[in-house]
Amino acid sequence: MTRTAPLIEHVDHGQLPCLRVTLGDAELVVARQGAHVMSYRRGVSAAPLIWLSPEEDGVKGRPIRGGAPICWPWFGALARNPADVQATYTGAEPPQHGLVRGVEWQLDAIDETESAIELTFEAPSDLPNWPHLVNLQLRVRLDDALHLDLTTTNKGDTALPLSQALHTYFRIGDIHQAHIEGLDGTGYLNTLESWEQKLPQAGAVHFTAETDRVYLGVPDLLAIADPVLERRITLETRGSTSAVVWNPWIDKAARTPQFPDDGWQEMLCIETANVLEDRIVLAPGKAHTVGVTLRSTTLD
Ligand SMILES: O=P(O)(O)OC[C@H]1O[C@@H](O)[C@H](O)[C@@H](O)[C@@H]1O
């Protein structure tokens, strides 16, 4: 008889303790470091939805290449963030993508039923050079889809500005043939050229070179159409109107750590974000949740 109720196992990926959750034909692996979704697949023979670099060997404290890194309390280079976000950090060398992807989160709760399982992780509260009182939780829910929800609660007595992203790496069949639907008509900043001038997206997003863009005014349903793997991955987002679209292409893949030289051909990132004009300013006592639900359907 096929087991349908969730099964949780403790497994290691290199030096990283992880939880592997199996539910029906779905399998999800989450590392405690960074509350980082490492992999997610549905169907034993299907390609994973989420791309994990084959060179990722799990070194403690080092950012994981692939999966779904959490960028928080800022996204990207701190110097590219609004001044109020920059001012929240008091150190000299701000790490790229914030402070929580290389640290161990605590597993707070496991809630399960016959058809769903939810893991709740909490980030450590004492982050270096970041003197603010917050509670940061990630809920990872697996049912007939995968749902990620990151909630920040301001426990301090002053307003807290922050930027963030669920930096999801997706597995695709071929970057030359996959495209992104849902961004037609939105504006984007090309971070490889000018961060100043907003350019209009016309039609679907196709990839022909290194791509690193911040889309603003993004709707809450995006999709990756993948004719090679004959599927469409949909992203339903919550609490976000910005998205970062990234593929390193040849040269940047070669200089990116734990990234195989040809890995750029089978991945792309759509990062559900709150960046630039979409950053969050949390009043004392208030909470904000940014979230995404991922599904895969057959490409019609
Ligand atoms: O190498 P990192 O820190 O994981 O960042 C990977 C990429 O993350 C993306 O979000 C950025 O837009 C890229 O510019 C960056 O290269």
Side-chain angles (χ1 to χ4, degrees), residues 63-65 69 71 75-76 96-97 101 167 169 191 212-213 244-246 252 256-257 271:
I64 297 165
R65 178 64 59 203
C71 308
F75 170 82
Q96 154 108 338
H97 290 326
R101 61 177 178 159
H167 184 323
Y169 288 69
T191 71
D212 202 340
R213 299 176 178 176
V244 179
V245 171
W246 180 56
K252 189 159 183 182
T256 298
E271 307 168 36

Side-chain angles (χ1 to χ4, degrees), residues 222-297:
L222 300 177
I224 300 170
D226 183 342
V228 174
L229 296 179
E230 297 176 336
R231 69 183 179 191
R232 176 175 278 112
I233 298 176
T234 57
L235 295 81
E236 280 169 53
T237 65
R238 301 169 280 284
S240 153
T241 62
S242 50
V244 179
V245 171
W246 180 56
N247 180 284
W249 219 251
I250 301 165
D251 294 348
K252 189 159 183 182
R255 56 177 199 270
T256 298
Q258 288 76 55
F259 208 111
D261 284 352
D262 57 358
W264 57 278
Q265 296 178 44
E266 57 171 36
M267 56 69 67
L268 65 83
C269 289
I270 302 180
E271 307 168 36
T272 303
N274 294 114
V275 294
L276 301 180
E277 66 198 41
D278 183 35
R279 78 183 184 293
I280 302 301
V281 181
L282 265 186
K286 295 290 183 197
H288 174 83
T289 299
V290 59
V292 64
T293 294
L294 306 178
R295 289 176 212 277
S296 168
T297 55

Side-chain angles (χ1 to χ4, degrees), residues 66-294:
I70 293 175
C71 308
W72 184 99
W74 63 83
F75 170 82
L78 183 59
R80 287 292 189 179
N81 276 260
D84 57 355
V85 175
Q86 291 188 36
T88 61
Y89 184 72
T90 58
E93 288 179 19
Q96 154 108 338
H97 290 326
L99 300 171
V100 294
R101 61 177 178 159
V103 297
E104 193 94 350
W105 293 43
Q106 186 186 319
L107 177 62
D108 248 15
I110 301 179
D111 296 299
E112 56 177 291
T113 64
E114 275 294 302
S115 55
I117 181 160
E118 187 169 293
L119 309 175
T120 305
F121 294 90
E122 190 170 318
S125 50
D126 52 338
L127 297 169
N129 302 310
W130 198 78
H132 308 281
L133 278 176
V134 293
N135 176 268
L136 178 66
Q137 280 196 335
L138 181 75
R139 274 174 294 125
V140 180
R141 181 181 173 83
L142 180 63
D143 47 29
D144 60 347
L146 176 64
H147 315 263
L148 305 178
D149 284 281
L150 181 70
T151 301
T152 308
T153 307
N154 184 356
K155 300 276 192 186
D157 52 14
T158 54
L160 177 67
L162 61 100
S163 64
Q164 58 187 348
L166 303 169
H167 184 323
T168 317
Y169 288 69
F170 293 97
R171 167 80 163 91
I172 52 163
D174 176 9
I175 190 68
H176 300 96
Q177 297 184 58
H179 63 265
I180 301 174
E181 301 168 335
L183 289 169
D184 184 21
T186 62
Y188 69 87
L189 301 176
N190 182 354
T191 71
L192 301 172
E193 288 170 10
S194 155
W195 283 69
E196 309 293 308
Q197 194 197 350
K198 215 184 269 183
L199 304 163
Q201 175 64 41
V205 181
H206 293 268
F207 295 84
T208 54
E210 182 182 350
T211 303
D212 202 340
R213 299 176 178 176
V214 178
Y215 283 85
L216 296 159
V218 170
D220 55 13
L221 182 63
L222 300 177
I224 300 170
D226 183 342
V228 174
L229 296 179
E230 297 176 336
R231 69 183 179 191
R232 176 175 278 112
I233 298 176
T234 57
L235 295 81
E236 280 169 53
T237 65
R238 301 169 280 284
S240 153
T241 62
S242 50
V244 179
V245 171
W246 180 56
N247 180 284
W249 219 251
I250 301 165
D251 294 348
K252 189 159 183 182
R255 56 177 199 270
T256 298
Q258 288 76 55
F259 208 111
D261 284 352
D262 57 358
W264 57 278
Q265 296 178 44
E266 57 171 36
M267 56 69 67
L268 65 83
C269 289
I270 302 180
E271 307 168 36
T272 303
N274 294 114
V275 294
L276 301 180
E277 66 198 41
D278 183 35
R279 78 183 184 293
I280 302 301
V281 181
L282 265 186
K286 295 290 183 197
H288 174 83
T289 299
V290 59
V292 64
T293 294
L294 306 178

